[in-house]
Amino acid sequence: MTLTAVVGEIILWTVIVSLFGLTAGLFLLGIDRKIAAHMQARIGPRLRQPFIDIRKLLVKENIIPENAIPWLFNLAPVIALVSSLVILLYIPLGSLHSPLGMYGDLILVMYLLTIPALATVAGGFASGSPYATVGAQREMVTMIGYEFPLAIVVIAIAWRLWAAGVAHPFLLSTIAGNPVWGLVGPLGIVGVVLLLIVLAAVTPAELSRIPFDTQEAETELAGGLLVEYSGRNLALFSLTTAVKTLVLGALIVAVFFPWNLSSFVAMPAGIAQLADLVFFLFKVVLVMSVIVTLVRVGMARFRINQVVTVYWHTFALIGLVGLLLLMADSALAGVL
Amino acid sequence: MSGEKKAPYIVPIGPTHPALKEPVMFTFEMDGEQIREVDFAPGQVHRGIEWMGMRRNPVQIVHLTDRICGICGVSHTLAFSRAVEQVAEIEVPERADYIRTIIAEFERIQSHLLWAGVAAHELGFDSLLYLTWQVREQAMDVIENLTGNRVNYGIVQVGGVRRDIVPEQHKVIEDCLSAYEGVLSKLLDLFLHDRTIAMRCRDVGVLSKDDALKLCTVGPTARASGVNVDLRQDYPYCAYGDLEVRSILPDQYAGETRGDVYDRIVVRLLEVGQSCRIIRQCLSEMPPGEVTAEPKLAKLLAICKKASGEAIGRVEAPRGECFHYVLMAGKEAPHAWKVKASSYSNLMSWIPMLRGEQIADIPIIVASIDPCLSCTDRVAVVKGGLQSILSREDLHRLSVEKTRRLQQ
């Protein structure tokens, strides 16, 4: 293939994956709201409510506060949305072709995940409101809190794959192609479960959901980071949340539940692709409704110092135990 | 967050803010996430109800008092009626006293449940908000069944009550009470044994017993700090003299009193159970008879018109003591009428509670005294740009001077 053909294909797939990511992400938000409503004995909005919200925000006035820094204030939501869409290009989405999957690995994804958060922090600081400033500080503290447990998970999984002799252990396609459950013994299974718990605990903070939504905390900071955002800019941030929801769901599925339907049941190639995609979305919905929706309806909001304590003490410890168990498992496998 | 110490910055919260259910203006002097100093300015929702009342007669005023507070609609009317009844020397039939007690206790149940839901919401625990408010609906239904209204009940009038409780309604009340006694243990479990709620409420917003006494706090706010005050026990009115009422203190549940937000939750939830017991006792002991001293309003008005003298009516509202002072001078309208809602006594306790706490705790601490600002607000007269702030010592001196004047 010539260079232009490669680039052309990447661009084509980028557009397809982005559109898919926006739609699926918004539906995920709708499903989250519907399930949460049912858990709270409410009816809840229609599944397509997030789409309606976005459309409404897009026609609303885009207000820039007087004491904001306009260029940064307007740039932040664009960066947030673009960077979260970029992550999507590296993650296997069921059978969907991941256009940049060959060019970046889990470490890159981990770094990319911080960009939308940093963009909201920049936007928060640029909006010149004390609520947004406090929210931005909290977001940074939260990031410092959850990055460490997240890193433990990434390193532990990749290290175990490397120890099992898999080439390119950090590549997401490798991780998805070699389910870690199959490589480890009973001790390792416990370790992997612990790592799954850690990743599940990091997800609500990445999406600023209860109990880790201190940066937006409606009752405390009136929306915190996003308090001054309205109209088109707020719509971009809402889309960012939608895409990030899909990204994190896809990440957990890729690392911990990568199986495809087509590998169990024989079917024609076209149908297999579709079935795998549907199965992938089903897994994402299932994972997200447990670790985001169920958690957020069942808990109160933490205080910011408690967020840090929870991540650095509890979940870092759980993660380290998981890592140690994986190492022990690998050592035992080497001996036997 | 580079760790360097910056000068304290100001975070304004209010007059309208999601943390506040009614307008009040807070100014926080922050040190990072920690509150260094706090000040608040009420007075955003003054409605001039006393002014309106002084142009109306007592029979009309009870409908105004119903509307002082949307939650404690019966407490204000009861306090006002009791003041007028004392001035006009109207004797309230015993059955009316029992009915007043039953309605007042139902009001306490729905008010405390409403508060519990708000508290859960302030903590970001919306599922619990939906649950408690769903449970609360049953009390609202019974109140509607008894009075005809969900809010602004319009049942208490000077000299008695407007409606009797007929035997068919006993079953409705009984059903509700047994439902509550069943669900209360579940609510206690959800609120008091949930780890996240305990993390957010234990040792947060502490009000020491000393401060509680010094600031003259009332109601659950005072009781949660270990002050044994409850008008129903200390100064029984209506049917409370005949009933078993002991004030609920947090050490009865947890064995200790810390005076924090958690203790305020304990006190309010236990009071729901207490109210259920009081209503049940009222139902079984309710004597037969008339429900009003004077059913003809014109005649009642004539009695009120002739009355002259002053009196105070005190009622233990869900939030604490509700106090009405009425001075009648032989005219149709009262010569003076002063309302002191319970929140008026409790607002000052915000200052020691909030100092040194974190931003995250502001909503729950502010909500923990169950503030009712539109009932409390006063009009502030600023003449020629001059303002004066009276400290506790000034107020004490003024009250001593007034007592001396009265003694002469």
Side-chain angles (χ1 to χ4, degrees):
Chain A
M1 261 198 292
T2 62
L3 187 65
T4 35
V6 172
V7 171
E9 197 189 310
I10 288 179
I11 290 175
L12 176 72
W13 275 102
T14 304
V15 173
I16 294 174
V17 168
S18 301
L19 288 178
F20 169 77
L22 292 171
T23 327
L26 285 175
F27 268 121
L28 275 179
L29 292 187
I31 293 169
D32 166 65
R33 287 171 68 171
K34 193 83 186 167
I35 295 178
H38 278 288
M39 286 179 184
Q40 295 170 335
R42 292 184 290 125
I43 297 168
R46 288 166 292 186
L47 270 190
R48 59 192 173 90
Q49 188 63 40
F51 292 89
I52 300 167
D53 290 349
I54 295 287
R55 196 182 62 191
K56 186 197 75 180
L57 284 175
L58 286 176
V59 297
K60 286 227 161 188
E61 192 187 358
N62 191 19
I63 298 167
I64 299 164
E66 246 172 46
N67 49 353
I69 308 165
W71 67 269
L72 190 55
F73 186 79
N74 286 323
L75 190 62
V78 179
I79 294 181
L81 180 59
V82 169
S83 57
S84 54
L85 281 172
V86 166
I87 311 173
L88 215 50
L89 306 180
Y90 291 96
I91 300 179
L93 302 169
S95 55
L96 225 58
H97 176 76
S98 58
L100 297 177
M102 298 318 290
Y103 304 97
D105 56 15
L106 197 52
I107 305 276
L108 179 71
V109 168
M110 228 184 85
Y111 275 100
L112 282 176
L113 268 176
T114 60
I115 295 181
L118 285 176
T120 38
V121 167
F125 276 127
S127 48
S129 147
Y131 297 137
T133 311
V134 174
Q137 288 171 354
R138 286 181 174 186
E139 171 77 47
M140 289 204 297
V141 172
T142 313
M143 271 169 65
I144 295 167
Y146 68 69
E147 285 300 335
F148 181 46
L150 182 63
I152 294 176
V153 176
V154 170
I155 305 284
I157 298 285
W159 180 84
R160 189 64 190 86
L161 290 181
W162 172 81
V166 178
H168 307 297
F170 279 103
L171 270 190
L172 270 160
S173 51
T174 317
I175 295 174
N178 302 282
V180 70
W181 307 95
L183 296 172
V184 295
L187 212 54
I189 299 256
V190 179
V192 175
V193 169
L194 290 180
L195 294 176
L196 174 60
I197 291 172
V198 174
L199 192 54
V202 168
T203 308
E206 288 267 11
L207 299 172
S208 48
R209 293 307 187 92
I210 287 172
F212 301 111
D213 70 333
T214 48
Q215 58 271 48
E216 286 176 20
E218 181 230 333
T219 47
E220 296 158 26
L221 300 178
L225 284 171
L226 305 177
V227 69
E228 296 294 346
Y229 278 101
S230 56
R232 196 194 68 228
N233 282 340
L234 187 58
L236 291 181
F237 272 129
S238 303
L239 288 172
T240 307
T241 314
V243 174
K244 270 182 90 175
T245 311
L246 179 66
V247 162
L248 284 158
L251 195 64
I252 294 173
V253 166
V255 175
F256 290 102
F257 311 104
W259 306 283
N260 274 331
L261 262 189
S262 55
S263 51
F264 296 113
V265 190
M267 45 189 140
I271 297 174
Q273 282 230 322
L274 192 67
D276 281 346
L277 190 62
V278 171
F279 186 57
F280 161 76
L281 285 176
F282 171 74
K283 284 187 288 186
V284 170
V285 168
L286 205 64
V287 165
M288 293 316 256
S289 53
V290 172
I291 66 178
V292 173
T293 317
L294 188 66
V295 169
R296 90 180 168 94
V297 298
M299 287 183 87
R301 181 183 302 117
F302 284 126
R303 221 179 297 152
I304 184 69
N305 56 340
Q306 292 168 341
V307 168
V308 178
T309 319
V310 162
Y311 278 127
W312 278 24
H313 294 181
T314 317
F315 287 113
L317 197 69
I318 295 177
L320 284 175
V321 171
L323 178 64
L324 284 177
L325 283 176
L326 278 186
M327 288 171 85
D329 178 69
S330 137
L332 281 178
V335 171
L336 292 173
Chain B
M1 294 299 281
S2 53
E4 60 178 300
K5 286 276 174 223
K6 278 199 280 184
Y9 61 99
I10 304 292
V11 174
I13 289 197
T16 49
H17 185 277
L20 308 167
K21 298 296 163 257
E22 282 179 278
V24 57
M25 179 68 201
F26 280 98
T27 315
F28 290 99
E29 206 176 282
M30 303 300 303
D31 195 357
E33 286 263 336
Q34 206 179 27
I35 299 164
R36 189 184 274 191
E37 202 46 73
V38 51
D39 194 10
F40 71 93
Q44 329 279 341
V45 273
H46 181 65
R47 293 170 299 169
I49 287 186
E50 289 163 348
W51 186 88
M52 287 157 79
M54 265 125 84
R55 277 142 193 85
R56 282 164 172 77
N57 64 50
V59 174
Q60 294 169 322
I61 293 176
V62 290
H63 297 287
L64 274 180
T65 52
D66 261 352
R67 283 154 180 78
I68 289 180
C69 183
I71 308 295
C72 27
V74 89
S75 301
H76 283 284
T77 317
L78 198 48
F80 175 77
S81 305
R82 284 180 39 74
V84 174
E85 283 153 11
Q86 287 170 57
V87 176
E89 288 169 354
I90 299 170
E91 191 159 338
V92 180
E94 218 180 328
R95 187 174 176 83
D97 269 341
Y98 273 83
I99 295 174
R100 284 175 170 191
T101 310
I102 291 174
I103 307 285
E105 290 306 318
F106 264 116
E107 176 174 275
R108 195 179 319 279
I109 293 177
Q110 63 92 356
S111 171
H112 283 348
L113 288 176
L114 178 115
W115 175 84
V118 169
H121 171 69
E122 303 288 12
L123 292 171
F125 204 156
D126 280 351
S127 307
L128 211 43
L129 158 76
Y130 292 116
L131 178 76
T132 38
W133 282 26
Q134 200 181 28
V135 170
R136 172 177 176 261
E137 274 308 298
Q138 210 166 348
M140 302 300 282
D141 288 345
V142 173
I143 289 172
E144 191 181 2
N145 188 298
L146 297 182
T147 68
N149 297 305
R150 276 167 61 88
V151 283
N152 302 339
Y153 315 127
I155 188 163
V156 174
Q157 62 173 8
V158 176
V161 290
R162 257 169 237 280
R163 287 189 184 195
D164 198 0
I165 294 180
V166 295
E168 292 85 74
Q169 285 172 318
H170 284 229
K171 196 188 165 311
V172 178
I173 298 174
E174 187 50 49
D175 283 351
C176 175
L177 292 182
S178 45
Y180 273 141
E181 278 157 355
V183 86
L184 192 64
S185 57
K186 191 176 160 196
L187 276 182
L188 277 169
D189 190 44
L190 282 172
F191 271 97
L192 303 178
H193 297 145
D194 184 276
R195 290 246 351 237
T196 39
I197 291 190
M199 274 170 86
R200 293 293 310 273
C201 296
R202 256 298 173 217
D203 299 317
V204 167
V206 175
L207 179 71
S208 67
K209 187 173 179 179
D210 213 30
D211 279 339
L213 282 169
K214 227 185 261 172
L215 295 167
C216 306
T217 51
V218 293
T221 312
R223 289 197 282 277
S225 294
V227 185
N228 190 350
V229 287
D230 192 327
L231 279 183
R232 296 173 294 170
Q233 128 196 311
D234 307 333
Y235 177 78
Y237 53 94
C238 290
Y240 290 110
D242 306 341
L243 305 170
E244 290 284 320
V245 187
R246 284 277 154 269
S247 61
I248 302 257
L249 297 172
D251 55 354
Q252 292 163 3
Y253 180 81
E256 56 174 344
T257 305
R258 295 202 207 174
D260 51 11
V261 173
Y262 191 85
D263 278 349
R264 278 165 226 141
I265 300 178
V266 171
V267 167
R268 290 206 174 85
L269 286 182
L270 292 185
E271 282 186 11
V272 173
Q274 184 193 32
S275 293
C276 289
R277 289 192 294 278
I278 293 176
I279 295 171
R280 185 161 281 153
Q281 208 185 340
C282 279
L283 276 183
S284 61
E285 293 174 12
M286 198 155 60
E290 289 297 311
V291 294
T292 174
E294 182 46 70
K296 292 200 181 71
L297 287 182
K299 220 166 161 189
L300 181 68
L301 193 56
I303 298 171
C304 292
K305 254 187 209 170
K306 271 184 244 143
S308 84
E310 57 179 352
I312 51 170
R314 299 166 77 190
V315 163
E316 180 76 17
R319 290 160 181 73
E321 179 188 347
C322 166
F323 177 104
H324 280 232
Y325 166 80
V326 179
L327 171 61
M328 307 278 289
K331 290 213 185 87
E332 197 173 321
H335 187 73
W337 173 34
K338 193 78 206 151
V339 180
K340 185 185 75 75
S342 17
S343 296
Y344 187 80
S345 312
N346 285 338
L347 292 189
M348 285 308 285
S349 63
W350 271 335
I351 308 284
M353 280 184 202
L354 284 166
R355 212 177 271 146
E357 298 291 352
Q358 298 207 343
I359 294 187
D361 301 322
I362 293 173
I364 184 65
I365 294 178
V366 168
S368 74
I369 68 162
D370 205 358
C372 204
L373 290 160
S374 52
C375 320
T376 300
D377 266 350
R378 299 291 189 267
V379 63
V381 181
V382 183
K383 266 188 190 159
L386 285 177
Q387 277 186 326
S388 68
I389 294 174
L390 296 176
S391 67
R392 184 167 175 265
E393 286 70 34
D394 297 328
L395 290 171
H396 184 247
R397 183 174 45 77
L398 285 174
S399 63
V400 169
E401 280 171 15
K402 178 152 190 189
T403 315
R404 296 270 149 76
R405 263 204 320 277
L406 289 172
Q407 280 171 342
Q408 280 165 9

